[in-house]
Amino acid sequence: MTKKSLQTQLIHTDYVAPEGFDAFPPAIHHASTVLFKNAAAMRSGEWKEKNAYTYGLHGTPTTFTLEARLAEIEGGAHCLLAPSGLAAIAMVDFALLKSGDDVLLPDNVYNPNRELGRWLSNDFGITARYYDPLVGAGIADLIQPNTKLIWTEAPGSVSMEVPDLPAICAAARARGVLVALDNTWSAGLALRGFDLGVDIIMQALTKYQSGGSDVLMGAVITRERAVHDKLAMAHMRLGQGVSADDAYLVMRGLPSMKLRFEAHDAGARTVAAWLKTRPEITRVLHPAFADCPGHATWKRDFSGAGGLFSVIFDERYTEEQVDRFVDSLALFGLGYSWGGANSLVMPYRMSTIRRDWQGKGLLVRFNIGLEDTVDLIADIEQGLGKL
Ligand SMILES: *Cc1c(COP(=O)(O)O)cnc(C)c1O
């Protein structure tokens, strides 16, 4: 080639880095455009097969690697990444539901999932109906001929009821209905959803997988190729690409995830047990505690619990008082989400997120981070003093 002008040299180079570089971190491949070797390669590439690279949206070595690793961790065969956990939920709904269909959601479902259900009901000709999270085999009575999908969440991430997944899955399977599990609470570590009969597992990687409180991402994991193919079409049609840098951040969290999860779990049980002794608190909603709804199911199906639980304050305390408690905490940030090193707290107005909430007394959710529980308990103790 003739000598290039300075302007072209700024864009094209003949330099090729030496081969043979290797390191533990996976390479971060940034790409919108993916280059094909030649026209024949371009024409033969099939994005759905993941055996060729066609466009940034359909994947790079970075995102393929993260998908494969997540599928392996959950015991699935296929995985698709989405820009957030909620985007992953939307991928499932838009892949599997169409006008005239029916979807069942638990009453304790992650609230934005409920909002999506409302949208599907109001504007898309799909009915979204809600069931008691402790319904178990009784779900059979709710399944209609047009029911296509049952969402489950184990446990509900605010009120903590643990569903009987094998019973729900058996009833669904008998009627040819797919079951999707939001498995974020267990990070895919403490609950083996596919072994219990679930068809689709959704994860908010935003939480434990990342562990850094610095990235939003979601995943949808499946075993059946036919279900995966429908999801892949929705992923493509909705343009749910993720950035290589974000995929890298999530991958960076994986090696330490189990150790972090176990530390969150131990810390949460310590703090929850202390809260249980306090006269200000009437109930501790932690699935590992005997009085949590669905505790026996948790014991049967789970191997751990992570860092998230809720408490109910005695009904004599007003919202103003409980807000004062929340504001007075020094080590607990006031914020949504969980799975990072920092402890968090969040008061909920249950009547705004549950149609059937009976309880009196205000609910506050704790996410126990990785701080020393002696310091966390001292902080909560001084906060209770402000009530
Ligand atoms: C956080 C969360 C989601 C959504 O994840 P984002 O990445 O924040 O969109 C979904 N389900 C549960 C149970 C969650 O905790």
Side-chain angles (χ1 to χ4, degrees):
M1 202 178 162
T2 53
K3 187 162 172 14
K4 297 185 274 284
S5 78
L6 184 54
Q7 173 56 31
T8 301
Q9 279 180 326
L10 290 171
I11 302 166
H12 292 266
T13 177
D14 296 329
Y15 177 76
V16 180
E19 287 184 20
F21 176 80
D22 202 6
F24 287 120
I28 305 176
H29 295 274
H30 295 106
S32 50
T33 298
V34 168
L35 294 176
F36 299 98
K37 263 205 162 50
N38 50 44
M42 180 273 291
R43 293 189 197 289
S44 67
E46 172 49 63
W47 65 269
K48 276 209 267 181
E49 294 304 324
K50 293 196 178 180
N51 56 7
Y53 302 103
T54 50
Y55 189 58
L57 175 66
H58 305 311
T60 63
T62 312
T63 55
F64 280 4
T65 302
L66 178 56
E67 287 174 343
R69 296 199 60 189
L70 294 167
E72 190 180 335
I73 291 165
E74 281 280 9
H78 313 282
C79 174
L80 292 157
L81 299 175
S84 68
L86 184 54
I89 292 170
M91 188 202 314
V92 173
D93 284 356
F94 282 97
L96 302 176
L97 299 171
K98 62 181 189 314
S99 175
D101 288 346
D102 177 60
V103 56
L104 287 165
L105 300 125
D107 258 318
N108 59 358
V109 75
Y110 176 67
N111 200 48
N113 191 348
R114 173 188 301 272
E115 181 51 44
L116 181 58
R118 199 172 288 136
W119 192 33
L120 295 176
S121 282
N122 289 344
D123 293 348
F124 290 85
I126 293 163
T127 52
R129 291 180 299 132
Y130 298 87
Y131 65 88
D132 175 352
L134 299 173
V135 69
I139 195 88
D141 299 334
L142 300 175
I143 296 174
Q144 302 173 350
N146 65 337
T147 304
K148 292 289 158 56
L149 176 66
I150 300 172
W151 271 102
T152 59
E153 203 169 311
S157 63
V158 177
S159 47
M160 300 293 160
E161 301 90 342
V162 186
D164 187 342
L165 289 176
I168 291 173
C169 292
R173 181 143 309 197
R175 304 279 289 275
V177 179
L178 293 172
V179 176
L181 166 66
D182 183 334
N183 203 18
T184 304
W185 190 81
S186 293
L189 298 173
L191 178 70
R192 309 300 294 168
F194 289 124
D195 295 345
L196 300 181
V198 164
D199 300 288
I200 299 155
I201 294 181
M202 170 263 151
Q203 281 280 352
L205 309 173
T206 309
K207 312 286 165 54
Y208 292 115
Q209 283 82 355
S210 138
S213 312
D214 53 0
V215 62
L216 288 162
M217 200 178 292
V220 181
I221 301 157
T222 45
R223 279 186 171 169
E224 295 294 327
R225 177 67 196 247
V227 180
H228 167 78
D229 281 348
K230 285 188 184 178
L231 292 161
M233 286 307 292
H235 179 273
M236 188 272 273
R237 288 166 171 159
L238 296 169
Q240 295 192 319
V242 305
S243 93
D245 290 316
D246 286 352
Y248 177 80
L249 285 175
V250 171
M251 223 146 6
R252 200 162 193 251
L254 294 183
S256 63
M257 176 165 72
K258 188 159 176 292
L259 298 176
R260 288 185 283 107
F261 187 84
E262 287 164 4
H264 287 291
D265 188 354
R269 290 195 215 205
T270 302
V271 175
W274 181 83
L275 279 160
K276 217 168 162 41
T277 67
R278 296 291 307 199
E280 299 90 345
I281 305 297
T282 55
R283 256 190 116 177
V284 174
L285 298 170
H286 185 306
F289 286 43
D291 54 347
C292 188
H295 165 71
T297 307
W298 175 83
K299 236 173 124 172
R300 184 191 67 193
D301 294 343
F302 290 65
S303 61
L308 201 75
F309 68 91
S310 298
V311 300
I312 309 279
F313 276 80
D314 189 283
E315 57 188 278
R316 71 177 179 273
Y317 296 114
T318 63
E319 187 170 81
E320 197 189 345
Q321 282 175 295
V322 172
D323 283 356
R324 201 184 310 141
F325 161 76
V326 165
D327 287 344
S328 73
L329 296 174
L331 295 179
F332 290 79
L334 174 58
Y336 295 106
S337 198
W338 75 80
N342 292 75
S343 288
L344 294 168
V345 65
M346 181 56 66
Y348 281 88
R349 284 185 169 150
M350 292 307 290
S351 58
T352 66
I353 59 173
R354 284 287 287 272
R355 54 174 190 142
D356 62 337
W357 189 250
Q358 301 290 348
K360 295 202 171 70
L362 292 154
L363 184 147
V364 171
R365 188 177 80 177
F366 288 91
N367 159 53
I368 303 304
L370 298 175
E371 303 94 335
D372 192 321
T373 52
V374 171
D375 296 326
L376 294 178
I377 288 171
D379 192 29
I380 296 172
E381 186 160 31
Q382 69 77 27
L384 291 174
K386 303 274 165 42
L387 274 170

